[in-house]
Amino acid sequence: MVLFEPVIGLEVHAQLKTATKIFCGCSAAFGAPPNTHTCPICLGMPGVLPVLNRKVVEYALRMALATHCSVAQLSRFARKNYFYPDLPKGYQISQYDLPIAVDGHVEIQMDGQTRRIGLIRIHMEEDAGKLMHASDRPVSFVDLNRAGVPLIEIVSEPDLRSAEEAGAYLRTLRSLIRWIGVGDGNMEEGSFRCDANVSIRPQGSSAFGTRTEIKNLNSFKHVEKALRYEIARQTEIVLDGGAVVQETRLWDPDKGVTLSMRGKEEAHDYRYFPDPDLPPLVIDRAWIDRVRGQLPELPHERRQRFITDYQLPAYDAGILTASREAADYFEACLQVYPHPKVVSNWIMGPLLGLLNAQDKTIEQSPVSAADLAALLQLTGEGVISGKIAKTVFDEMAASGRTAGQVVQDKGLAQVSDTRALEAAVDKVLAGAADEVSRYKAGQTKLMGFFVGQVMKATKGKANPNVVNEILKKKLH
Ligand code: ADP
Ligand code: MG
Ligand code: ZN
């Protein structure tokens, strides 16, 4: 039986987080009433001229450098011609033969392995408007607030080999975009969208099969589902002796299927030509160096540093560098409580558990890094037991109080005072005559039972080390 291997390449459109649009001064903010962020330029009036937003170039450059692309010292804008009401000019300003950046890569983590995914190109372009189709009458509405909002398109090599890998790649890309501060990567609001190209080929073959391109993928879940569906569909066709048709397909999230939308359009259908209204874009060395100098430590670099400097497992380092805020939170804790693995366990366990349950990001955490570190310090100093620490943490999250306040208000401080604990031990031993004689007869495993009883009697506040000492002395 022939086994097939999927081949996937993604085209990601990411909105850049600039205040204004790419070729005019209109606001690029999301969510305004329809057609209030418009002007003669983004409405495509005759006789107006576009002016390139410098910040867009700056942001595209940042992304290009963060993905190890070569930056073109000279790039240019091109008109991509098509007729549709979401674009009143009759063409979209994009980049075609000379994009701002080519030949990059990002690294993704798959099942503990690092995989390098190539990038063919990154180019800048303007977004189109949005159509809304009335459900009760045969009319459509056009909102041009989004027309002219800046995008970068990031085109991957066909290097991805499964739906899961495509998902991991998208998450990595989105986290990078947020990390370097050029976009918010919000799929629901359409500021991070993707088209997925997919084909299959017999395992071991190096030639590519005929691909289809899937549109309308607006969540990570849908990308992976659509790809799995499409891989299965193509496999079935080929096994039946048929041939995959190159076409554009639409993902139907309600039915969970991809549907044929149109035959594949070719570049020449768009009649690309250089936009005569915009001069070529020249980016000199100094500009590139300046932007490079402003880049923060990147996720993969920080991940590696966490592994080397803090001796963290790769798994921990990956989770802690999933966002810049998480990495900052972790390192802020270390400032106060310099025990990396303990801090990592607390972030990955109780903290992320809490944030997940409350559907919050780490920036919105009800427990600040300083407060978590203070809690861990109390544990480290033996003021509270490790077991009580989780109770204190939950109380801190619920009430917003500090660890010190919670411990004081609830009287949770660990009891290490020998005299107080001796009384508790005596009481436990007096009530367990049977166990005591079995212990003395050689069943030393019962030590755990005695410690447990004392902990219970002191509501978990006894210092277990001290209890152990006392018990050993008394049972001798
Ligand atoms: P177009 O602009 O016509 O969509 P491109 O050549 O720019 O075509 O490729 C777009 C995307 O399709 C890229 O991400 C690329 O990796 C991917 N791709 C190209 N050929 C294949 C293939 N045979 N199977 C899967 N993906 C492919
Ligand atoms: Mg395409
Ligand atoms: Zn405008």
Side-chain angles (χ1 to χ4, degrees):
M1 171 154 156
V2 199
L3 284 176
F4 292 96
E5 171 184 66
V7 171
I8 300 163
L10 300 182
E11 295 164 88
V12 169
H13 290 90
Q15 183 178 330
L16 299 174
K17 224 171 46 176
T18 53
T20 56
K21 295 185 179 180
I22 182 169
F23 298 120
C24 63
C26 292
S27 164
F30 177 82
N35 299 307
T36 53
H37 291 173
T38 53
C39 73
I41 294 173
C42 53
L43 288 176
M45 300 291 180
V48 296
L49 288 173
V51 177
L52 179 59
N53 181 341
R54 188 181 178 88
K55 198 91 194 180
V56 170
V57 181
E58 193 106 13
Y59 281 0
L61 206 47
R62 240 193 244 182
M63 189 61 182
L65 295 174
T67 52
H68 316 278
C69 286
S70 322
V71 173
Q73 305 228 7
L74 187 142
S75 71
R76 67 178 171 200
F77 289 94
R79 293 185 177 180
K80 180 179 181 179
N81 299 280
Y82 71 88
F83 181 75
Y84 198 61
D86 65 353
L87 220 150
K89 291 198 298 300
Y91 59 87
Q92 176 193 29
I93 305 178
S94 181
Q95 293 194 295
Y96 180 56
D97 56 346
L98 293 175
I100 185 168
V102 296
D103 279 344
H105 66 261
V106 294
E107 281 176 355
I108 63 169
Q109 305 297 323
M110 268 315 276
D111 308 323
Q113 307 272 20
T114 300
R115 285 254 294 125
R116 179 175 282 201
I117 308 302
L119 301 186
I120 299 174
R121 58 188 273 150
I122 295 180
H123 69 249
M124 298 173 281
E125 63 186 24
E126 58 178 344
D127 207 347
K130 203 171 113 194
L131 294 198
M132 281 156 290
H133 308 287
S135 52
D136 54 340
R137 0 181 221 152
V139 296
S140 293
F141 301 92
V142 189
D143 175 8
L144 292 172
N145 282 351
R146 221 174 63 187
V149 159
L151 305 177
I152 43 173
E153 177 168 341
I154 305 153
V155 184
S156 86
E157 296 279 1
D159 284 349
L160 300 157
R161 293 290 173 269
S162 68
E164 294 69 32
E165 241 178 51
Y169 166 78
L170 279 177
R171 278 173 236 277
T172 303
L173 212 56
R174 182 177 68 163
S175 131
L176 183 60
I177 283 170
R178 290 176 171 171
W179 188 288
I180 61 173
V182 304
D184 61 21
N186 189 331
M187 267 192 144
E188 292 72 46
E189 291 180 4
S191 53
F192 191 79
R193 313 195 289 269
C194 118
D195 300 333
N197 297 269
V198 54
S199 61
I200 56 165
R201 63 182 177 189
Q203 204 118 50
S205 147
S206 59
F208 288 134
T210 303
R211 70 175 144 135
T212 59
E213 179 170 349
I214 317 169
K215 302 257 184 203
N216 193 33
L217 300 168
N218 51 16
S219 81
F220 289 109
K221 202 177 72 201
H222 287 158
V223 173
E224 293 190 32
K225 272 192 176 171
L227 280 170
R228 271 194 286 272
Y229 175 87
E230 187 58 19
I231 291 162
R233 188 188 70 88
Q234 292 186 12
T235 306
E236 201 171 316
I237 291 175
V238 174
L239 286 177
D240 283 352
V244 173
V245 179
Q246 176 156 0
E247 63 184 355
T248 301
R249 298 180 68 86
L250 191 73
W251 168 245
D252 181 334
D254 298 326
K255 299 202 180 74
V257 298
T258 64
L259 302 166
S260 177
M261 187 175 156
R262 58 172 186 247
K264 169 90 183 116
E265 68 286 353
E266 300 286 344
H268 62 246
D269 295 328
Y270 289 118
R271 295 295 191 266
Y272 279 100
F273 65 91
D275 193 313
D277 289 344
L278 288 155
L281 172 65
V282 177
I283 299 174
D284 60 16
R285 270 280 134 218
W287 193 0
I288 297 175
D289 290 344
R290 186 154 46 76
V291 172
R292 199 193 300 278
Q294 289 163 351
L295 277 182
E297 185 183 19
L298 296 174
H300 66 280
E301 296 165 341
R302 207 158 176 187
R303 181 174 171 277
Q304 196 47 55
R305 182 165 63 78
F306 281 11
I307 296 172
T308 340
D309 289 9
Y310 302 136
Q311 270 91 55
L312 284 183
Y315 177 79
D316 294 42
I319 291 189
L320 295 174
T321 54
S323 75
R324 203 167 150 185
E325 290 76 16
D328 287 346
Y329 188 103
F330 169 70
E331 290 202 289
C333 288
L334 291 190
Q335 294 285 322
V336 180
Y337 188 72
H339 301 278
K341 184 55 183 157
V342 178
V343 172
S344 166
N345 287 346
W346 269 87
I347 292 178
M348 295 195 310
L351 184 72
L352 289 185
L354 172 80
L355 297 177
N356 267 341
Q358 300 189 352
D359 200 18
K360 284 188 173 145
T361 62
I362 204 157
E363 304 95 280
Q364 304 162 326
S365 171
V367 179
S368 71
D371 286 349
L372 175 60
L375 167 67
L376 300 185
Q377 204 163 23
L378 289 182
T379 319
E381 289 165 355
V383 176
I384 52 170
S385 67
K387 214 166 167 181
I388 290 282
K390 176 67 170 70
T391 313
V392 176
F393 176 82
D394 292 341
E395 189 57 35
M396 289 165 70
S399 67
R401 282 179 299 165
T402 64
Q405 286 165 343
V406 172
V407 169
Q408 193 162 37
D409 294 356
K410 303 226 150 183
L412 294 173
Q414 178 163 264
V415 181
S416 305
D417 172 44
T418 318
R419 204 132 22 108
L421 290 181
E422 270 185 354
V425 169
D426 286 341
K427 213 164 161 195
V428 165
L429 296 182
D434 184 32
E435 284 82 359
V436 172
S437 47
R438 274 162 52 208
Y439 179 89
K440 289 190 171 162
Q443 285 193 41
T444 48
K445 272 196 197 143
L446 281 165
M447 180 56 88
F449 164 78
F450 295 126
V451 175
Q453 290 300 104
V454 177
M455 294 309 286
K456 206 164 137 192
T458 57
K459 300 202 171 64
K461 290 188 292 184
N463 181 331
N465 294 328
V466 180
V467 172
N468 249 298
E469 291 297 308
I470 299 174
L471 276 166
K472 272 190 199 141
K473 213 166 58 197
K474 300 224 175 224
L475 288 167
H476 197 63

